[in-house]
Amino acid sequence: MEFDPVNNTWPTVVSNIGNGEHALAEFHAMHGTTLIVGGNNTQGVAQLVSPGGTKRRVVDFPSRTSMSGGSWSIPHRSGAWLVRDAPETGTPHLFAYWPALDRWQDLGESPDMGLVNPTVAYDAQADAVIIAHSRGTSVWKCVPITQP
């Protein structure tokens, strides 16, 4: 769906994205597209969707996502989307998706490791991720992120 501010409505632009419920979706103004990752029974499926509804499957996410497992996605000022995985076992990692390369880059351990129920917002000016969680709020100043 896409908000129409003139008519104050939410018309359906494209249906059947293919990711199921609980997918991560984040618009990146630099690219004018939304990256959709995961969803029920499609934890690794990744697609780019344009505002007009055109969808393009891209290389699968190299791990799994889960809303209840703490996955999240943000548009980073480098031009990448940052996506936190939700492995069934082991340490959560943060990955950068570079659309020009159609490639995922493992950035290492996620900054919210050990936090319960993380919800995030990104401050592009400060290049920081604000993380609200069950014990309060934390801020992670991003490490330099560059396209490989």
Side-chain angles (χ1 to χ4, degrees):
M1 303 178 84
E2 185 173 283
F3 181 65
D4 175 357
V6 173
N7 298 307
N8 196 31
T9 59
W10 287 89
T12 298
V13 176
V14 62
S15 60
N16 194 19
I17 296 290
N19 287 72
E21 298 172 351
H22 304 128
L24 302 175
E26 191 68 44
F27 179 77
H28 203 307
M30 188 180 292
H31 304 292
T33 57
T34 299
L35 175 68
I36 300 176
V37 181
N40 290 2
N41 304 314
T42 60
Q43 285 96 356
V45 172
Q47 297 189 74
L48 291 175
V49 180
S50 71
T54 302
K55 58 185 175 179
R56 177 173 63 95
R57 176 106 183 238
V58 297
V59 67
D60 283 352
F61 184 61
S63 186
R64 67 182 290 277
T65 61
S66 167
M67 290 183 101
S68 62
S71 292
W72 48 264
S73 175
I74 59 169
H76 188 263
R77 69 183 186 182
S78 65
W81 279 269
L82 303 185
V83 180
R84 185 225 196 240
D85 72 354
E88 289 186 38
T89 61
T91 304
H93 276 229
L94 192 61
F95 293 84
Y97 176 71
W98 300 98
L101 302 174
D102 192 20
R103 179 175 169 193
W104 291 96
Q105 176 186 15
D106 187 341
L107 300 174
E109 291 183 1
S110 178
D112 62 350
M113 187 178 73
L115 302 178
V116 178
N117 298 323
T119 301
V120 303
Y122 178 62
D123 180 335
Q125 185 174 354
D127 195 19
V129 178
I130 298 100
I131 308 166
H133 49 89
S134 63
R135 294 188 315 244
T137 304
S138 302
V139 177
W140 176 63
K141 177 73 172 153
C142 292
V143 297
I145 298 169
T146 56
Q147 184 170 294

